[in-house]
Amino acid sequence: MNLKRAITVDDLTNFEVYSDPQLAPNGDGYAFVSTTVNADKEYESQLFYQDMKDEKIRQWTFTKGRNSHPRFSPDGTSVVFQSDRSGIPQIWRLPLGGGEAKQITTFKNGATNPAWSKDGNYIIFTASLEKDDCIHNQEEQTKEARQKEQEENNKQPKIISRLAYKSDAGGFLDEKKSQLILYNIETQQFTPLTTADADHTYQDISPNGSVLFAANLQEEADYELTNDLYTVNIYTKELTKITKEKGIYYEASFSPSGEKIACFGNDLTYASATLTELYLFDLVSGERKCLSEEWDFELGDAMIGDTRIGASEAGPIWSKDEQSIYFLGTDHGATGLYSVSVSSKLETLYKNNNHVFGFSYDMEQESFVVGISSPTEPCNYYSFKRGDEIGKLTNANATFLTEVELIEPEEIQFKAEDGWDIQGWLLRPYGFEKGKKYPFVLEIHGGPHAMYGQTFFHEMQVLAAKGYVVLYTNPRGSHGYGQEFVNACRHDYGGKDYLDVMNAVDYALENFPFIDEERLGVTGGSYGGFMTNWIVGHSNRFKAAVTQRSISNWLSFYGVSDIGYFFNKWEHGHDLLDDPEKLWEISPLKYAKNVETPLLILHGEQDFRCPIEQAEQLFVTLKHLKKEVEFVRFPGANHELSRSGDPKLRMERLNHICRWFEKYIR
């Protein structure tokens, strides 16, 4: 008999999500961000601080809206952070000795991602500026003025001359670019550090005042998909390019002395399926070294979930003696904390079949605070020191976890038709009873170069709570299993990746007799939506399907997606004009006549990654053929709907998924 209730769609408003742990300079405590969905079904993020000695948690911010990105001053007396409490993200400073937070910036388009110089005299942040904007007379608009300006802009024609003219995150792009700005604490003056016609991303600052940033400053940046590292000195404004080899470099950090830089990156050898490498740049000798050359796993956090709101540190982070670098790694359905020496010796510091989603490192005490999620624990922070057991610091979502039954997944391993090893997980339904038969839902992840694994996933738990057996796997193309595996679906969409997910269903039916083979459902988003569309065009095995933010036609995808003009070439080996017949062969739309499975199509109207015309084509074609199909459009939603979209729409989306499966397979 179950003592706890089943989780619901509405429980999205009943748990909190932690992110961005930041240890104080003295190591006595750490700040972090907690995000919830409030009573108005809007996101709210607040800053908290936990003392490591008494373990008490103190709330620092209380304003409605989103407060995030806390960064301690070097002397630990204040914290700078970003907040949209005034209506748009701006930079604020909070004195820790007492007193209210003070607003530092009033930039028209907002200001984000603050950081301190090592001497504590300056704050560096990012602001979106047009070429001729003056940073000395920036005034923040009222909400009404912003709305009026937006309405006027929407009435004007858009003149487009760039290849990359829109993005899923930013919408239609204008002339504004992300620039780095320096704020002098004493004089309260702003100084531009970058002005090039490109977006600049802050990385780190050295002891001598060199700001490290990433940017694509190529003359034809839309055609050269690179991301180089540069430094600009805050005193001399001297600009230096660090990277010389073609590639994409990011998450870079200076060693404590400022003489070396560690960063993630890759040379695109396998296009978007290239494993992330860890590079070391010696600024004295000019040498570049790849520390991860002999490894075969993905660096950073490639875990997919639907509740990881807010950024967290994944590395690389230097040790005080500059002999080690710390980072997260993705491997076989889990992420862990790793260390590598400057001589490339790899060491696993912590990995325990769960999701380490972020960490902070204290150089003086050589200790860590790590954020961990598991399928039955949305998030918590733990203390960790090399060689010691981890110690639990927080008890997040305690009431929620006391009341709600979360299902622990059962890991499965099976052989694909060609002998490749495939990993997955199965959730039994809430209130499971032996001898009963249950309907089944197969979940297929997006990417395709990402990973399902041992993290909390609201959608999966809701489906299990509704009485479904839920299966999710990592078919070839997924991260976590090495370079050959992640590259294996390129130029073969709908091939062996399709067989992998179908073989997974075969395995589940053979080994879990409580699954009713007459009541099978399938769903997935993005690439998972493509695969859902592909499945219903090639098999009548499933009695219901839900395709989300999907791809149906690779021919049109080339010209409408914000990444289509290079993604087709990267993933399929063909552009539109190279081999349109090949792109049509792997387009699910071609096989619409074969579809007999009732299909629900869910799509955001502002999705620029997989634009809604992909859903429109599929719906109209199937409806014209008098197939069983329904189309739900989500206004204002982009490709991130299921993960960080409007909470009200996220909940509506889940309700529609449950409704469709209830109708056809319950």
Side-chain angles (χ1 to χ4, degrees):
M1 181 178 179
N2 286 293
L3 299 178
K4 296 183 179 182
R5 66 173 177 84
I7 193 172
T8 67
V9 170
D10 291 345
D11 276 324
L12 186 65
T13 66
N14 290 330
F15 57 82
E16 58 183 334
V17 177
Y18 288 168
S19 62
D20 203 11
Q22 295 289 319
L23 276 158
N26 59 12
D28 288 345
Y30 66 100
F32 63 94
V33 180
S34 176
T35 301
T36 56
V37 176
N38 63 25
D40 297 325
K41 295 184 180 177
E42 297 174 340
Y43 292 117
E44 192 170 288
S45 298
Q46 305 295 354
L47 304 186
F48 290 81
Y49 176 83
Q50 182 174 35
D51 191 297
M52 300 289 277
K53 295 177 181 177
D54 61 21
E55 297 189 357
K56 288 184 179 178
I57 296 177
R58 299 170 178 84
Q59 187 169 343
W60 274 351
T61 60
F62 297 86
T63 59
K64 187 175 181 180
R66 305 192 69 169
N67 302 279
S68 62
H69 203 83
R71 296 297 181 266
F72 286 93
S73 61
D75 62 8
T77 61
S78 65
V79 165
V80 64
F81 63 101
Q82 70 184 53
S83 175
D84 64 1
R85 63 184 68 186
S86 63
I88 191 171
Q90 300 286 1
I91 307 302
W92 295 69
R93 185 182 180 190
L94 176 68
L96 299 184
E100 296 295 320
K102 177 184 177 182
Q103 187 170 352
I104 290 176
T105 64
T106 56
F107 278 53
K108 178 182 177 181
N109 304 308
T112 58
N113 301 324
W116 292 87
S117 62
K118 303 301 182 187
D119 58 13
N121 293 328
Y122 301 93
I123 294 171
I124 305 100
F125 62 90
T126 303
S128 183
L129 301 170
E130 293 191 17
K131 186 176 181 180
D132 297 324
D133 278 350
C134 176
I135 65 171
H136 303 297
N137 57 5
Q138 290 280 318
E139 292 185 8
E140 186 174 2
Q141 293 177 302
T142 63
K143 181 179 179 180
E144 293 72 25
R146 281 196 304 275
Q147 289 178 338
K148 183 177 180 180
E149 183 177 284
Q150 185 62 52
E151 290 170 0
E152 291 299 317
N153 288 339
N154 290 340
K155 296 176 183 178
Q156 302 302 317
K158 292 179 174 63
I159 301 173
I160 296 168
S161 59
R162 289 185 53 189
L163 176 60
Y165 69 91
K166 62 182 179 180
S167 79
D168 186 63
F172 288 107
L173 304 180
D174 51 28
E175 298 303 311
K176 293 188 283 291
K177 301 295 180 184
S178 297
Q179 305 292 354
L180 302 183
I181 310 297
L182 187 72
Y183 174 72
N184 187 309
I185 300 289
E186 182 179 354
T187 66
Q188 300 183 18
Q189 296 296 306
F190 298 103
T191 303
L193 292 175
T194 61
T195 57
D197 185 24
D199 290 316
H200 302 75
T201 306
Y202 173 84
Q203 306 289 300
D204 199 6
I205 186 169
S206 73
N208 70 357
S210 288
V211 172
L212 179 62
F213 67 89
N216 184 350
L217 302 184
Q218 302 290 329
E219 188 172 334
E220 293 190 314
D222 291 352
Y223 301 87
E224 291 288 332
L225 298 174
T226 61
N227 202 38
D228 288 304
L229 297 179
Y230 297 83
T231 60
V232 58
N233 192 278
I234 64 176
Y235 307 111
T236 66
K237 306 302 183 290
E238 179 184 3
L239 184 70
T240 304
K241 185 179 181 182
I242 304 299
T243 50
K244 298 178 175 62
E245 296 81 2
K246 184 177 179 180
I248 295 177
Y249 302 92
Y250 56 98
E251 301 299 335
S253 61
F254 281 110
S255 63
S257 68
E259 295 181 353
K260 296 181 177 68
I261 292 172
C263 74
F264 289 150
N266 70 70
D267 59 7
L268 296 174
T269 297
Y270 300 93
S272 49
T274 311
L275 289 184
T276 301
E277 304 285 6
L278 177 57
Y279 295 105
L280 177 62
F281 292 88
D282 190 316
L283 301 183
V284 178
S285 68
E287 176 188 6
R288 185 194 80 153
K289 181 180 180 181
C290 181
L291 297 177
S292 55
E293 191 171 8
E294 302 300 321
W295 310 345
D296 194 28
F297 74 108
E298 175 66 0
L299 310 186
D301 179 5
M303 185 81 76
I304 286 181
D306 61 354
T307 55
R308 288 271 22 106
I309 299 170
S312 294
E313 180 65 67
I317 297 295
W318 288 87
S319 64
K320 184 178 181 180
D321 62 7
E322 302 192 9
Q323 296 303 301
S324 298
I325 300 167
Y326 306 113
F327 60 94
L328 299 186
T330 296
D331 185 42
H332 286 77
T335 64
L337 178 63
Y338 296 83
S339 170
V340 62
S341 69
V342 292
S343 59
S344 298
K345 182 180 178 181
L346 179 66
E347 180 184 357
T348 303
L349 298 183
Y350 172 82
K351 184 173 181 286
N352 192 30
N353 204 29
N354 50 30
H355 178 200
V356 181
F357 61 79
F359 73 98
S360 185
Y361 172 63
D362 178 9
M363 283 189 177
E364 298 302 324
Q365 300 184 40
E366 297 190 70
S367 61
F368 301 86
V369 167
V370 293
I372 297 176
S373 173
S374 75
T376 56
E377 184 179 282
C379 59
N380 265 309
Y381 286 124
Y382 295 78
S383 61
F384 173 71
K385 200 165 186 176
R386 187 193 295 259
D388 292 344
E389 295 292 322
I390 64 169
K392 193 172 184 179
L393 293 171
T394 60
N395 194 21
N397 302 298
T399 301
F400 171 75
L401 294 174
T402 300
E403 298 173 350
V404 174
E405 182 76 20
L406 297 180
I407 310 301
E408 190 71 46
E410 301 172 44
E411 182 180 343
I412 66 169
Q413 296 273 357
F414 64 93
K415 294 283 186 183
E417 286 187 12
D418 58 358
W420 283 40
D421 292 316
I422 308 296
Q423 184 183 29
W425 296 266
L426 181 139
L427 296 177
R428 298 189 183 213
Y430 172 78
F432 175 80
E433 297 178 23
K434 288 184 178 181
K436 286 186 64 174
K437 289 278 190 176
Y438 292 92
F440 166 97
V441 174
L442 172 68
E443 288 265 7
I444 307 172
H445 70 60
H449 311 305
M451 183 186 75
Y452 276 147
Q454 294 288 67
T455 193
F456 178 70
F457 213 121
H458 183 225
E459 177 178 328
M460 309 287 196
Q461 293 287 342
V462 165
L463 288 173
K466 292 288 186 179
Y468 301 99
V469 177
V470 182
L471 177 66
Y472 48 107
T473 68
N474 286 325
R476 67 195 71 195
S478 304
H479 270 309
Y481 308 91
Q483 183 61 78
E484 183 181 6
F485 193 94
V486 73
N487 189 55
C489 75
R490 286 179 66 233
H491 306 181
D492 189 38
Y493 276 39
K496 291 182 178 178
D497 53 350
Y498 165 69
L499 295 178
D500 286 349
V501 296
M502 298 301 275
N503 290 165
V505 178
D506 294 336
Y507 178 89
L509 291 174
E510 291 170 7
N511 291 273
F512 300 95
F514 49 81
I515 298 172
D516 187 344
E517 62 181 350
E518 297 300 319
R519 293 187 290 164
L520 305 181
V522 59
T523 186
S526 195
Y527 164 84
F530 156 81
M531 187 56 71
T532 300
N533 296 339
W534 186 262
I535 286 172
V536 298
H538 288 78
S539 170
N540 294 327
R541 184 174 204 175
F542 296 92
K543 303 307 178 187
V546 181
T547 185
Q548 308 171 51
R549 59 188 194 282
S550 72
I551 299 154
S552 66
N553 185 350
W554 291 110
L555 292 166
S556 62
F557 180 85
Y558 166 82
V560 297
S561 169
D562 63 342
I563 63 172
Y565 65 94
F566 65 85
F567 190 85
N568 272 359
K569 190 76 170 182
W570 279 10
E571 290 294 298
H572 307 311
H574 305 284
D575 282 335
L576 176 66
L577 301 180
D578 292 340
D579 194 342
E581 291 81 9
K582 173 62 176 176
L583 292 178
W584 183 238
E585 283 294 321
I586 58 172
S587 294
L589 193 64
K590 177 182 178 180
Y591 308 96
K593 287 184 178 180
N594 301 336
V595 176
E596 300 297 334
T597 307
L599 181 66
L600 175 63
I601 302 171
L602 306 179
H603 220 108
E605 292 188 339
Q606 296 302 311
D607 190 333
F608 286 168
R609 184 59 42 86
C610 298
I612 198 167
E613 61 87 32
Q614 295 283 309
E616 291 170 335
Q617 291 186 67
L618 185 60
F619 172 74
V620 169
T621 302
L622 292 175
K623 199 67 179 176
H624 190 218
L625 292 169
K626 297 185 178 180
K627 305 290 186 177
E628 187 69 25
V629 63
E630 188 176 305
F631 184 17
V632 181
R633 304 168 65 107
F634 294 87
N638 67 5
H639 201 61
E640 290 296 308
L641 168 62
S642 66
R643 292 165 286 203
S644 59
D646 183 311
K648 294 184 288 292
L649 295 183
R650 287 179 64 189
M651 294 164 71
E652 278 297 304
R653 168 189 156 273
L654 279 175
N655 282 326
H656 281 295
I657 293 171
C658 294
R659 171 182 64 84
W660 195 255
F661 286 139
E662 177 77 21
K663 180 178 181 180
Y664 288 102
I665 64 174
R666 279 292 291 158

